[in-house]
Amino acid sequence: AATWTPLRTKRHEREKETTMAQLNEQKAAQRLIRSRERVADHGEVFTPAWMVEAMLDLVKDESERIDSRFLEPACGSGNFLVHVLQRKLAAVEIKFGKSDFEKRHYALLGLMCIYGIELLADNMIECRANLIEIFADYLKLNPSDNLYRAALVVLSVNLVQGDALTMKTHDGEPISFAEWGYLGKGKFQRRDFRLGVLPGSSAFSAEGSLFAHLGKHEIFKPIRTYPTMTVNTLAAAYENVPEEAK
């Protein structure tokens, strides 16, 4: 015999489904903000994961290149940078997954090419924690490993608490960033540049520019160049990392 469902029951189920969908939307919206006060004071609204992925797909080749550099000028807790790092580590696994030595060093290079500026201290702490967790999980590191400590040193340099509009840190100093490079055989190089000069780099070298014939090295000079370093060299600098960045 056929089973009949009263219309009232069907209507009740639809209303229940609608209510649940609305609650889920409200919860999702709440995850995108910490408080109404922070939205009002700082314009703080976090980007949902699906939107981050869609935006990164617009520059898919760059987002999946290990040594491409990404700067998030309002990085929050790392919504964009987390996904960029995950894509870079996926590329490392494909290219160097069979060599533990190369995998570890190119994974660190991928981390070195991620930069962020954030106005609020609690967001910056969370961003560092999110990135080091992903990095450590991928390589199965623990906090006592030199590579783990080297990664924390890199993040303490690449993630800056400050204002991207004024290009100054939270204590009023000009923001500078390290340009990292991997030389092979476990050796890295570092040169520091002021953030204020970097946006002009592409304009100076653009075709038709008055300065197009000049090399970038003739215009954009680092404020500091470091000796070649290794993972162990970087790890040794861990003791100088501010407590909030550990």
Side-chain angles (χ1 to χ4, degrees), residues 207-221:
E207 186 176 353
S209 163
L210 179 63
F211 305 99
H213 66 288
L214 297 176
K216 289 186 180 181
H217 65 281
E218 297 178 78
I219 305 173
F220 301 96
K221 294 184 178 181

Side-chain angles (χ1 to χ4, degrees), residues 11-22 24:
R11 184 170 66 250
H12 176 73
E13 288 176 352
R14 286 197 299 271
E15 290 173 350
K16 184 177 179 181
E17 290 174 357
T18 301
T19 301
M20 290 302 296
Q22 291 172 342
N24 288 334

Side-chain angles (χ1 to χ4, degrees), residues 61 64-67 88-99 102-103 106 138:
D61 290 344
E64 295 174 353
R65 186 160 61 85
I66 299 169
D67 61 349
K88 287 178 176 291
L89 294 180
V92 169
E93 185 63 29
I94 291 171
K95 294 182 179 181
F96 304 105
K98 294 182 179 180
S99 168
E102 297 290 17
K103 180 169 73 171
Y106 275 99
Y138 171 63

